[in-house]
Amino acid sequence: LVLPSPTVGKYMLRLSTARLGHVDAVVWVKEGVPVTLGMLKEPSPETDNKQILKDQPELQLMDAAGNPILEPAAVHLVVRCQTRPAAPGSRAAQFVSFKKGSFQFTNIMVVARYGSSYRLTFSLDPV
């Protein structure tokens, strides 16, 4: 039996043959190793250039199957947020620690120039 990239949960299996009958088995699938960051809450798509973004981003660790990793084995994890291209006057180059299953940003501010597009990038940085 192969389950490529299964989601976390309880699986009930019934194995049977014509001669031996059947046997039921329970298989629990747990999350795998962290491979990516997933967006739980998108940041605001616009800025007023004066205040922090109305909607602050929240990210989570995920395994290859997209399962959230709520209790990673690492002791201290941080995510860094940066504005690309760099926006003078912005507050995005900051680090947020892993707490209660996610990385929650609270004070990202982007001061944009008229006609320019910006992208927030997030990276998991070792501590």
Side-chain angles (χ1 to χ4, degrees):
L1 176 66
V2 176
L3 293 169
S5 301
T7 55
V8 170
K10 177 180 175 182
Y11 292 83
M12 302 289 291
L13 302 175
R14 176 166 277 191
L15 309 169
S16 63
T17 66
R19 294 177 111 187
L20 301 175
H22 72 272
V23 63
D24 291 330
V26 176
V27 176
W28 286 93
V29 173
K30 294 191 172 198
E31 66 270 0
V33 297
V35 296
T36 190
L37 288 169
M39 188 68 67
L40 283 174
K41 184 178 174 189
E42 294 278 342
S44 301
E46 299 176 346
T47 179
D48 66 3
N49 286 345
K50 298 174 188 164
Q51 299 178 20
I52 63 172
L53 296 178
K54 179 180 175 187
D55 297 319
Q56 295 288 311
E58 182 177 354
L59 293 92
Q60 67 180 354
L61 286 173
M62 299 176 80
D63 68 10
N67 296 310
I69 298 174
L70 303 176
E71 296 181 23
V75 176
H76 190 71
L77 299 170
V78 295
V79 166
R80 179 171 44 159
C81 176
Q82 293 181 299
T83 306
R84 299 283 188 227
S90 296
R91 283 189 313 212
Q94 58 180 299
F95 296 87
V96 173
S97 296
F98 187 82
K99 292 180 186 169
K100 298 182 182 176
S102 67
F103 300 93
Q104 299 175 358
F105 288 85
T106 58
N107 63 349
I108 293 176
M109 178 178 168
V110 178
V111 179
R113 290 186 181 165
Y114 181 77
S116 297
S117 294
Y118 297 92
R119 168 172 276 164
L120 293 177
T121 60
F122 301 93
S123 61
L124 186 62
D125 288 357
V127 174

